[in-house]
Amino acid sequence: MEHYLFLFIPTEKVPSLHSLSGDERKIYDLIARSLIAAHYNPALFAHSTIRTAVGPHIFVTNGKRLIEPGWRPVLFEKEKEDVLLPNVKEGQKGIAEDVKVVEGKTVPPKRYTEGELITAMKNVGYTVEDKELGNVLKSVSGLGEESTRSNIIERLKQLDYMKIEEHRVVPMAKAFVLIDAVENTLLASPELTGRWEQRLKEIGKGQAPANVFIEQSKRLAQKIVQDAIEHSSGWSFDAPSKPAARDSQPLGACPKCGSAVVDKGKFFGCSAYQSSKCGFILGKKMLGKSISAANVKKLLEKGKTNLIKGFKGKRPFDAYLVWKDKSEGTVQFEFKAQKNQ
C-alpha cells in the first residue's frame, strides 16, 4: 500500500464556492477550518476518575470537563456534553440509589480462520507478558517465517491435529491429547522458539558460534525426552483397538451425530470418531475448573449443567454450561440470576 503526503499552502486567491460541487465544497471547508484551527490556542480538559468499592468489586468511573475550548469550536460546531463527576474525598462513603441485576451470558471468542492464525503466529510477541521475551519474538517476526507458517498449518491438518469447518480452524481429538502432554513444558513455549530464531540469525551473521548452539540443543533435546518419559504415565491416548473400560459407559447422545459420548481420558468425546470422523469433544478443564462426567451427562440430557463454582477469569465466577450451538457442539456460560438485596 502506497502512502502520499500532501502539503497545502494558502494563497490570496479566493475561489468561487458556487462553482464547486457538493463534495468539493466539503473538502474546501475541511481544509479551511483545519488551517484556521491551527492558529487557535490549545484546548484544555480536566480529567477525573472515581474508583468505588462495593464489597469485593471495584467500579471505575471516568469523567472530563472542557476548561478552555481553544481550537475545538472551529472544527466542532456542537460539543458533546461532558460527564461531570462530583467532588469526593478518598475514603468517603455513599449510598447506592438504585441497583439493577442483569442476567447475561458470555461466549468464547470465535475460532481463528487460517489467515487470522497466521497473523497470530506473526504477532505472538505482542501477547507475551515478559517485555524482554516479547521484544525477542517481535524482532524475529513471531513464530516461523513468512514462507513456512502456511506449511506448518497444512502439516497439522494432514496429521489430523486440526481441520477447517466453515472457514475456521477446529482442533481435533489428537490436538487435545498433545496439548495435555506438552502443557507447561519447553515444547509449548513461544519464547523458546523466539530465542532459537534469534540465535540462528546471529549465527547466520557470524555473531554467534554454531557449535555452542548445537551442543545446547542436544542437551535440551535430552532433557525434553527425559521429562516426557517421566510424565508419560499420566498421558491418555484414544486407542480404538483396545478401548478403555470408561469408554463402555456412554454419557449421552452426541449433539452432532447422535452417537454415544464417552470419557476419553483427557476429554469427553464422540465414540464414532474413528468411523465417521465426528469431531465433537468437550475438555475436562475449562478456565481452570474441572468438568465432571455427571455435569457432561446433564448437559447432554437437559442442555444445562449444575452450577459450577470457581471458574477463573479476570475474577473467579460461578456459572452453568449451556449449549451455544447444539448442532455444532459448542457451549457457553450462563450466569445465575441474583436477587436484589
Side-chain angles (χ1 to χ4, degrees), residues 122-166:
K122 180 179 179 180
N123 297 328
V124 67
Y126 295 93
T127 63
V128 178
E129 293 184 1
D130 189 311
K131 290 185 178 179
E132 180 183 353
L133 295 176
N135 289 333
V136 171
L137 287 165
K138 292 175 189 177
S139 68
V140 297
S141 299
L143 302 178
E145 299 290 341
E146 292 287 350
S147 58
T148 61
R149 294 184 186 115
S150 295
N151 293 334
I152 293 172
I153 293 175
E154 287 301 319
R155 183 61 174 162
L156 291 173
K157 289 193 291 185
Q158 292 172 5
L159 296 174
D160 289 332
Y161 282 101
M162 64 169 64
K163 63 180 179 179
I164 305 300
E165 287 186 356
E166 297 181 354

Side-chain angles (χ1 to χ4, degrees), residues 27-43:
I27 294 174
Y28 178 82
D29 182 72
L30 178 62
I31 295 173
R33 285 175 179 269
S34 298
L35 177 63
I36 295 171
H39 293 80
Y40 270 65
N41 292 327

Side-chain angles (χ1 to χ4, degrees), residues 221-236:
Q222 291 173 349
K223 184 180 187 308
I224 290 174
V225 172
Q226 186 60 42
D227 290 345
I229 294 173
E230 293 176 0
H231 294 94
S232 60
S233 59
W235 296 351
S236 177

